[in-house]
Structure formats: structure tokens, C-alpha cells
């Protein structure tokens, strides 16, 4: 049993970020898991070989991850081996709010530092008295300076972005004292963003893929790529599952992937997507599924004020 676990751990590949830190390419996404069922899920993931856990303020699950990490630590797991990512939500971009958020997150996660701290979206909101929200204009330079200070203080190791476009990122790179190392984006075969991913890589910004299997749970533009005919056909050819084909595609192109699951049995299946190689010809076939259509697009969502950030 222990040998099997060691072999699984060795499967995990790492990408070296522009600041020298290494990110495990396969991580566990925790979006929409907001209760104590997350505790055994995270513990089992780490025991299988996952070393990268992705969370966010919006997911409201820091405390369950913290409980899992504390129990793992008591069982002898080394915190230094883990890579924990969190993101701040759109209401807390003022410098002091960012600092307060990180201190709260550290308390809930029961950690002394966060490996990667991201701005979840490139805009800010403020709540109105009637409960509605409106856009709040906060200079990115001010938010970023506060994030750099969190690195200086040792509370955060790396800082980065999520859902940012090229223009705003190039502007940020022009003045950032500490550069963003990652942009976490929606990408899978149906929204491949191939040039975007390679351009960011040239700029020293690694891409982490959220929704790497599609987003069947999304109420507006959800799609389940695991049922796609071509993917099902590939799964049969390689003797793998559809999810393993999709994740392997994401890993092969060099992105990190953070599939979410609520099922403990899926953890091993997803992790084993590291253990085989798709042929170049089959990768090209999978690339043909690209429609450029996003599930997570504020412009389509009335709750998000139809904010057209990708247009």
C-alpha cells in the first residue's frame, strides 16, 4: 500500500514559476464544496499524492481545509510539501482589506503562510444600502503594492491573477516590483485559449486551468466534456476515462489543472491522468473541439452586472 502511494506521489509533475517556486501541476479544486465533507476529501487527496489544494474566499471553505491540514500535520505530513492557493473576492481589493483577508485566511486555514495568493477577478464591487452591488474603481497598482507587502512580510510566497486579460496584465508587469507568477483561467478543449496561454508563458506568467473538464454544474453555459463523442472515443482507445483524457490534455500542454470533485473515488482516477501520454495526432483532434465559448463569463450573467471583461 505504501509503495503504491509513493509511486502515485512520484507521478505528480511540477512547473517552476518565474520566482523559482515549484507548483504541482495537478491540484484539487474545491469550488462548491462548502461543508465538513471536504475534510476527508482533502486528507485522502494528500494521502493519494495531491500536493496542490486550490481554494478561495468565495468558496467559503477555508476552515474545513484548515481542519484537514491540521489533522494531516498531526499524522506527520509536512506542510512544506503542500502548495496552498487562495483568492480574494471582489469586495476586498482595498490595500488594508487585502491584508485583513490574508490574515483571516491564515487563521482559518491554520497556516503560517499561503503559497499562492490571487486576485480572483480584475474588477471590484461595493455593496449598496439596498443590497445591490455596483462597480468600485480601485487602482490595481494600489492592490498590487499591498500584495507585494504581504510577500515581504512572509505571509504569502507568490502572488498572481485569475481571469485577467492581456492588456491589464502587460500594464501590471510594467510596474510590478514582484511579478505575478500565475493567471488562473477557464481553459479546457472547448475554450483552449492556446495563444493566450503561450503568450502569458512568454511573459513569465504560468496558466492554471480551472474547469478543466468543462463546467457541467454551471447554470448559464455549463457543458460536460466527459460526454463528448470524441473524448469518449479517445478514452476507449487509451483504456482510460474521459476525465483522464481531458486532464492529460491540459497537463501535456503545460498548464496546471485543478479538477474539482466531491467523490473520494474520483480523486485516484483524476490523479492517474498523469500516468500516460496522448499522441500528437490525438492532441490535434482534441484541439479541434475549441469553440472559444466560456462558461464563466460575467458578460452573460445578470448577477455580475453583465460586466464585459473579456470583450
Amino acid at each position: 500500500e505504501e509503495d503504491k502511494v509513493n509511486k502515485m506521489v512520484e507521478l505528480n509533475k511540477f512547473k517552476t514559476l518565474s520566482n523559482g517556486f515549484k507548483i504541482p501541476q495537478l491540484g484539487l479544486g474545491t469550488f462548491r464544496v462548502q461543508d465538513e465533507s471536504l475534510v476527508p476529501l482533502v486528507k485522502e487527496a494528500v494521502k493519494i499524492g495531491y500536493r496542490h489544494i486550490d481554494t478561495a474566499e468565495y468558496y467559503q471553505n477555508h476552515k474545513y481545509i484548515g481542519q484537514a491540514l491540521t489533522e494531516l500535520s498531526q499524522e506527520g505530513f509536512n506542510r512544506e510539501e503542500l502548495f496552498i492557493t487562495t483568492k480574494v473576492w471582489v469586495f476586498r481589493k482595498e490595500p488594508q482589506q487585502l491584508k485583513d483577508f490574508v490574515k483571516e485566511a491564515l487563521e482559518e486555514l491554520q497556516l503560517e503562510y499561503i503559497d499562492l495568493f490571487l486576485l480572483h477577478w480584475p474588477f471590484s464591487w461595493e455593496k449598496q444600502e439596498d443590497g445591490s452591488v455596483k462597480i468600485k474603481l480601485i487602482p490595481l497598482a494600489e492592490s498590487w503594492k499591498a500584495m507585494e507587502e504581504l510577500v515581504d512580510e512572509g505571509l504569502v510566497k507568490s502572488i498572481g491573477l485569475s481571469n485577467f486579460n492581456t492588456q491589464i496584465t502587460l500594464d501590471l508587469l510594467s510596474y510590478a516590483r514582484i511579478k505575478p507568477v500565475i493567471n488562473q483561467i477557464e481553459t479546457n478543449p472547448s475554450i483552449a485559449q492556446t495563444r493566450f496561454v503561450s503568450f502569458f508563458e512568454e511573459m513569465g506568467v504560468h496558466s492554471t486551468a480551472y474547469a478543466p473538464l468543462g463546467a457541467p454544474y454551471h447554470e448559464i453555459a455549463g457543458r460536460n466534456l466527459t460526454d463528448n463523442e470524441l473524448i469518449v472515443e479517445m478514452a476507449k482507445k487509451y483504456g482510460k476515462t474521459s476525465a483522464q483524457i481531458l486532464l492529460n490534455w491540459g497537463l501535456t500542454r503545460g498548464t496546471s489543472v485543478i479538477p474539482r470533485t466531491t467523490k473520494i473515488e474520483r480523486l485516484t482516477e483524476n490523479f492517474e491522468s498523469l500516468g500516460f501520454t496522448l499522441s500528437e495526432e490525438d492532441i490535434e483532434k482534441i484541439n479541434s473541439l475549441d469553440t472559444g465559448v466560456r462558461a464563466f463569463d460575467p458578460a452573460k450573467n445578470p448577477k455580475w452586472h453583465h460586466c464585459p471583461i473579456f470583450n
Side-chain angles (χ1 to χ4, degrees):
E1 185 64 22
E2 197 171 311
D3 275 357
K4 188 183 174 197
V5 169
N6 289 339
K7 282 203 178 76
M8 295 282 277
V9 172
E10 282 163 24
L11 269 182
N12 210 340
K13 298 178 173 71
F14 293 82
K15 284 282 172 186
T16 302
L17 302 172
S18 60
N19 60 2
F21 286 108
K22 286 182 161 59
I23 184 171
Q25 244 193 299
L26 183 67
L28 175 67
T30 63
F31 180 42
R32 296 169 72 98
V33 195
Q34 292 174 318
D35 58 31
E36 55 278 356
S37 68
L38 189 54
V39 178
L41 196 74
V42 168
K43 287 180 71 177
E44 185 60 27
V46 171
K47 287 172 183 174
I48 285 167
Y50 288 80
R51 292 293 177 264
H52 176 187
I53 311 293
D54 179 88
T55 180
E57 178 183 17
Y58 184 68
Y59 306 169
Q60 298 179 348
N61 59 19
H62 280 162
K63 67 179 181 182
Y64 302 115
I65 294 172
Q67 189 184 327
L69 296 177
T70 299
E71 289 177 19
L72 284 163
S73 170
Q74 288 160 355
E75 291 169 30
F77 277 88
N78 182 0
R79 157 70 180 106
E80 302 298 314
E81 285 182 27
L82 300 176
F83 191 100
I84 311 297
T85 299
T86 193
K87 319 171 200 79
V88 71
W89 193 234
V90 292
F91 293 115
R92 300 176 80 173
K93 298 278 192 66
E94 298 275 9
Q96 193 54 50
Q97 292 175 323
L98 287 166
K99 292 184 170 184
D100 291 345
F101 164 71
V102 164
K103 284 170 184 155
E104 284 165 31
L106 287 169
E107 206 169 293
E108 289 180 332
L109 290 163
Q110 302 182 44
L111 295 174
E112 287 177 13
Y113 65 88
I114 288 163
D115 295 273
L116 178 64
F117 175 39
L118 307 178
L119 296 173
H120 207 149
W121 288 91
F123 52 80
S124 304
W125 289 342
E126 62 183 344
K127 284 187 175 134
Q128 305 303 296
E129 279 178 16
D130 64 2
S132 66
V133 297
K134 73 170 189 180
I135 288 284
K136 182 177 188 181
L137 300 176
I138 299 173
L140 177 57
E142 289 178 15
S143 303
W144 197 256
K145 187 167 181 285
M147 291 176 75
E148 291 172 327
E149 286 165 4
L150 288 161
V151 176
D152 295 336
E153 289 165 38
L155 299 178
V156 167
K157 299 272 191 198
S158 301
I159 46 181
L161 314 167
S162 181
N163 300 300
F164 273 57
N165 68 14
T166 306
Q167 298 93 309
I168 195 168
T169 306
L170 289 175
D171 187 53
L172 172 61
L173 287 168
S174 74
Y175 60 78
R177 175 172 62 87
I178 299 175
K179 309 285 185 210
V181 294
I182 272 183
N183 189 21
Q184 191 178 116
I185 57 171
E186 178 185 359
T187 181
N188 55 56
S190 71
I191 169 93
Q193 303 201 68
T194 305
R195 183 65 193 119
F196 187 74
V197 168
S198 64
F199 183 75
F200 267 61
E201 206 66 47
E202 289 162 28
M203 295 290 109
V205 182
H206 175 66
S207 295
T208 295
Y210 71 79
L213 306 174
Y217 48 83
H218 197 281
E219 66 274 17
I220 289 177
R223 63 180 77 78
N224 190 352
L225 287 174
T226 54
D227 293 340
N228 178 279
E229 274 177 48
L230 175 68
I231 300 298
V232 170
E233 186 187 307
M234 293 281 177
K236 281 186 189 144
K237 175 177 171 179
Y238 286 87
K240 301 292 175 187
T241 65
S242 293
Q244 288 171 334
I245 297 292
L246 291 161
L247 295 174
N248 189 282
W249 176 87
L251 294 162
T252 302
R253 70 202 289 248
T255 57
S256 303
V257 296
I258 45 170
R260 62 173 290 282
T261 185
T262 54
K263 298 182 175 72
I264 282 184
E265 62 273 16
R266 280 276 159 76
L267 291 171
T268 303
E269 177 192 328
N270 288 349
F271 199 81
E272 286 174 346
S273 60
L274 288 152
F276 67 101
T277 308
L278 290 165
S279 73
E280 282 184 30
E281 186 189 353
D282 288 337
I283 287 169
E284 283 305 314
K285 283 183 187 167
I286 295 170
N287 290 348
S288 73
L289 298 175
D290 191 8
T291 61
V293 177
R294 299 169 186 278
F296 295 88
D297 186 351
K300 297 174 186 165
N301 195 331
K303 284 188 211 159
W304 294 63
H305 283 266
H306 299 288
C307 186
I309 62 166
F310 297 121
N311 297 11

